[in-house]
Amino acid sequence: MPVGGLVPRAVDDAADLVVRNARIHSGDRSRPAAEALAVRAGVVTAVGDDSDMAPHIGPGTRVVDALGRRAVPGLNDSHLHVIRGGLSYVLELRWDGVPTLREGLALLREQAARTPKGQWVRVVGGWSAEQFAERRLPTVAELNAAAPDTPVFVLHLYQSAILNRAALKAAGFTRDTPDPKGGQIVRGRDGAPTGLLLAAPSALILYSTLAKAPALQDEDRKTSTRHFLKELNRFGLTSAIDAAGGFQSFPDDYRTVVELAAAGQLSLRIAYHLFPQTPGQETADLARWIGTVRPEDGDAWLRLNGAGENLTWAAADFENFTQPRPELTADYETEFEKAVRLLMENGWGFRLHATYDETIRRDLAVFEKLAAEGLFPAGNRWLFDHAETVSGSSLDRIAALGGALSVQNRLSFQGEAFLRRYGPEAAATAPPLRAMLDRGLTVGAGTDATRVSTYNPWVALHWLVSGRTVGDLALRPPRNRVDRATALAMFTTAGAALTGEEHLKGVLRTGYFGDLALLSEDYFTVPEPDIPHIESVLTVVGGRIVHAAAEYEGLDEELPPISPDWSPVAHHGGYRATSPTGRSGARQAELLGEAAAESALHRQWRAARGLTPGTDEGPALDPCFAL
């Protein structure tokens, strides 16, 4: 746009992009604040005042007026299942951010009517019953009523899945279907499956059932992934560390992002991990990969970061907090040590899923044994993921071994279940953020999306700062919370350190990647309850505008149409944006309307069952209040 006083010059090193009139939080201690910056050939070439930008503006420079908005370094989710999530994004009906179950069921009913025969309606993660005004899960009867003939699969955290009648049939569940190891098929009096599957405590029963639904193929996978990355850009994400995961096979399920990277069509920088899929052959898989690829293979857009988040299945402690902590086998260390030794001898770092301190202590004993031989960490990066109940003594051992941590806001969604099982004292330090940071450990932050938490990083940032769940329950007291700048650094500089790229990204400084987000609200001053409502109005990755909204709509890159055309995302989008609660009485009125609608439905339910004397024509009074 034309800007008074900034006249384009014919200069050889003109910037591709200049952002001016901004309130820039650079993350750079040498210059923490600025008004403007310039990006050329993907990297920042100048940071300073508006007047400093004049020498960088040529005839081809795009100049963007930030209109006084807050700009921050691009966010980096240090634990996101982005590759797996992209392969099915357009097939999923998202309940992320939906405020009531009533609205969620209405969306489901509408999508079922649109979904062609043979396809499923699937709600896969990103929500919790605690976010709904009703504070409950849908029932099987409600799913059957919403979709009598279309299979419906609704996943709730790592805890359960609810299937309607059509989905039970499509998935092949009968009276004779045995319970898988670590899972339970809930049955009625007649022995037939009711439609409820429980992780007891393994979530494999949930994921193996979901895997029976039809998958996308080839070009549709690419389109789905591009739209998912664009959705992440919507929230200011410019990088992510993919944590691999179950049902994500290498190289088959990685082919989509590899081909998009080769075509220059990624809009998010991805550092990925490799996760052995088959119990009993984990070490053989790792050995085969070691002979094929090496960490840091790739480029600034797509690169291998190591192994994990599982190295061996026997060492995985599943985290269904409605169930007791799983008791791992007494001898899992034998195969686990072989896997770690193999990685260390070949220069591979790793990340490791570990929820409970009991598991972390056992893993650390293996690392210390190898360290005594001079084999650990051997210059390799390694970290624990999750670590909700890690102890102070274990943190000391992690620090002594040069390890790091990545924490996720799983307790935003599972906090109430954790509190009920372990009590308020344990919940207050789950995870012990301040103890981690006070030891000087690198602590990255992420979401663990998409099958548990939402991919919206501002929900996670709110959790870091406030200690509250999506149901507004305060779990962590102030002594175990972090300030806003620290939380942002956990989503920027710490993530870069976990991939060995701290000299390239995470701050807005000359010579670093031109990755930034211009925010809809000022993260540093907006009321705390409104942090989850922040979005990016302009997201830039390497100088490319990959997302543009509000005043900047139309400046970003155009994507191919969503395919298939009946996709839930094509009709409803992804994360359901809601109004900030701290503004006007509009949200209060909205909640009152939702409560009134739910009350009317409840009255009709009671009247239909003869529990009140009311009818649809008159008030249904509780007999206790009759005169």
Side-chain angles (χ1 to χ4, degrees):
M1 62 182 296
V3 179
L6 295 179
V7 180
R9 304 180 181 184
V11 291
D12 294 334
D13 58 349
D16 302 312
L17 175 71
V18 166
V19 177
R20 64 171 296 276
N21 190 22
R23 286 177 291 163
I24 297 174
H25 172 85
S26 68
D28 182 358
R29 292 182 180 178
S30 65
R31 179 154 193 171
E35 290 180 322
L37 59 79
V39 180
R40 182 175 184 272
V43 300
V44 176
T45 54
V47 180
D49 299 330
D50 280 352
S51 59
D52 298 328
M53 298 300 111
H56 301 275
I57 298 176
T61 302
R62 171 176 276 172
V63 180
V64 173
D65 188 338
L67 302 174
R69 294 186 184 275
R70 174 67 69 183
V72 298
L75 302 187
N76 185 348
D77 190 322
S78 69
H79 186 120
L80 176 64
H81 297 279
V82 59
I83 294 175
R84 185 178 67 190
L87 298 179
S88 58
Y89 172 65
V90 301
L91 294 178
E92 296 170 0
L93 175 65
R94 305 302 305 181
W95 279 357
D96 308 51
V98 173
T100 69
L101 176 59
R102 182 170 178 266
E103 182 179 343
L105 288 170
L107 292 172
L108 194 151
R109 186 179 303 108
E110 181 185 341
Q111 181 58 37
R114 183 183 299 112
T115 302
K117 185 175 181 179
Q119 290 288 345
W120 296 24
V121 177
R122 51 199 108 182
V123 179
V124 186
W127 66 281
S128 166
E130 302 298 335
Q131 82 189 41
F132 292 146
E134 300 90 340
R135 303 283 174 152
R136 69 174 179 86
L137 299 174
T139 65
V140 174
E142 286 172 325
L143 299 190
N144 284 331
D149 304 311
T150 304
V152 174
F153 175 98
V154 177
L155 177 69
H156 185 236
L157 309 176
Y158 284 129
Q159 298 173 9
S160 60
I162 309 165
L163 284 68
N164 69 347
R165 190 181 304 112
L168 283 174
K169 182 178 180 181
F173 286 110
T174 69
R175 287 183 178 85
D176 301 323
T177 304
D179 287 348
K181 183 178 179 181
Q184 180 185 353
I185 304 169
V186 177
R187 305 171 193 273
R189 289 187 295 271
D190 60 355
T194 63
L196 182 62
L197 307 179
L198 298 179
S202 170
L204 292 179
I205 183 176
L206 313 180
Y207 299 157
S208 61
T209 303
L210 177 61
K212 297 177 181 180
L216 293 172
Q217 300 298 321
D218 301 332
E219 289 304 311
D220 282 347
R221 279 187 162 201
K222 292 182 184 179
T223 301
S224 177
T225 296
R226 292 186 69 185
H227 279 274
F228 182 46
L229 300 186
K230 181 70 173 288
E231 174 77 349
L232 299 176
N233 299 147
R234 167 188 166 192
F235 295 100
L237 279 164
T238 59
S239 291
I241 310 177
D242 186 86
F247 299 91
Q248 183 173 316
S249 298
F250 180 79
D252 294 348
D253 290 326
Y254 292 72
R255 187 167 292 116
T256 296
V257 291
V258 169
E259 292 177 358
L260 289 175
Q265 293 177 336
L266 292 181
S267 63
L268 188 85
R269 304 184 193 277
I270 301 172
Y272 63 90
H273 289 78
L274 301 183
F275 180 143
Q277 296 294 307
T278 306
Q281 69 175 51
E282 297 98 328
T283 305
D285 285 342
L286 291 171
R288 186 174 69 256
W289 297 335
I290 286 170
T292 305
V293 291
R294 293 194 59 79
E296 301 186 7
D297 278 357
D299 57 23
W301 289 94
L302 183 67
R303 66 203 300 266
L304 173 63
N305 198 48
E309 64 181 290
N310 271 3
L311 302 184
T312 60
W313 279 99
D317 56 357
F318 295 101
E319 62 291 343
N320 178 0
F321 296 126
T322 63
Q323 297 280 335
R325 176 179 62 82
E327 295 295 334
L328 304 183
T329 59
D331 59 350
Y332 82 72
E333 287 90 344
T334 302
E335 288 302 313
F336 181 70
E337 180 184 331
K338 290 180 182 178
V340 177
R341 185 182 294 272
L342 177 66
L343 294 172
M344 294 299 100
E345 290 175 342
N346 288 276
W348 275 57
F350 63 87
R351 66 189 310 157
L352 195 61
H353 171 110
T355 301
Y356 302 99
D357 191 55
E358 290 81 355
T359 308
I360 291 171
R361 292 199 306 266
R362 290 176 67 176
D363 295 346
L364 285 169
V366 172
F367 303 159
E368 288 164 344
K369 177 183 176 181
L370 295 176
E373 301 176 28
L375 283 177
F376 193 91
N380 300 304
R381 292 186 302 273
W382 71 277
L383 65 125
F384 279 118
D385 277 306
H386 314 312
E388 276 86 357
T389 70
V390 64
S391 65
S393 61
S394 292
L395 291 176
D396 290 336
R397 295 166 70 187
I398 294 169
L401 290 168
L405 293 146
S406 174
V407 298
Q408 298 77 42
N409 64 313
R410 303 191 304 181
L411 291 192
S412 283
F413 296 84
Q414 302 179 92
E416 286 81 1
F418 188 96
L419 178 67
R420 286 190 291 270
R421 178 160 296 280
Y422 296 108
E425 186 175 346
T429 56
L433 298 178
R434 290 272 27 127
M436 295 173 178
L437 293 167
D438 288 346
R439 285 167 170 79
L441 289 162
T442 297
V443 184
T447 61
D448 202 9
T450 59
R451 292 184 174 178
V452 180
S453 304
T454 179
Y455 49 75
N456 180 351
W458 300 100
V459 174
L461 282 155
H462 175 259
W463 170 79
L464 289 169
V465 169
S466 71
R468 292 181 177 273
T469 70
V470 294
D472 202 33
L473 174 66
L475 291 180
R476 286 183 291 104
R479 68 178 183 274
N480 192 33
R481 300 175 196 165
V482 297
D483 61 65
R484 299 190 193 198
T486 300
L488 185 63
M490 293 169 70
F491 257 100
T492 53
T493 54
L498 294 181
T499 58
E501 297 174 285
E502 60 270 35
H503 61 294
L504 294 172
K505 61 184 179 181
V507 298
L508 296 173
R509 176 191 295 165
T510 301
Y512 280 57
F513 291 152
D515 301 350
L516 67 133
L518 202 60
L519 305 181
S520 59
E521 303 288 343
D522 188 343
Y523 164 67
F524 291 102
T525 61
V526 72
E528 190 176 88
D530 291 343
I531 293 175
H533 303 281
I534 294 173
E535 296 188 16
S536 173
V537 296
L538 191 81
T539 304
V540 177
V541 188
R544 289 168 49 199
I545 297 177
V546 296
H547 167 74
E551 297 88 351
Y552 311 101
E553 187 171 353
L555 295 183
D556 52 353
E557 303 163 350
E558 186 176 6
L559 295 185
I562 292 175
S563 177
D565 58 7
W566 53 266
S567 160
V569 176
H571 295 270
H572 303 298
Y575 189 94
R576 183 57 56 93
T578 52
S579 301
T581 55
R583 286 189 172 175
S584 65
R587 178 57 179 156
Q588 184 179 6
E590 181 183 345
L591 288 172
L592 286 172
E594 292 164 357
E598 188 68 17
S599 176
L601 291 174
H602 184 64
R603 177 182 63 78
Q604 293 170 14
W605 183 88
R606 290 177 60 81
R609 288 159 177 76
L611 300 177
T612 72
T615 66
D616 287 344
E617 287 72 36
L621 299 175
D622 191 316
C624 292
F625 296 98
L627 297 177

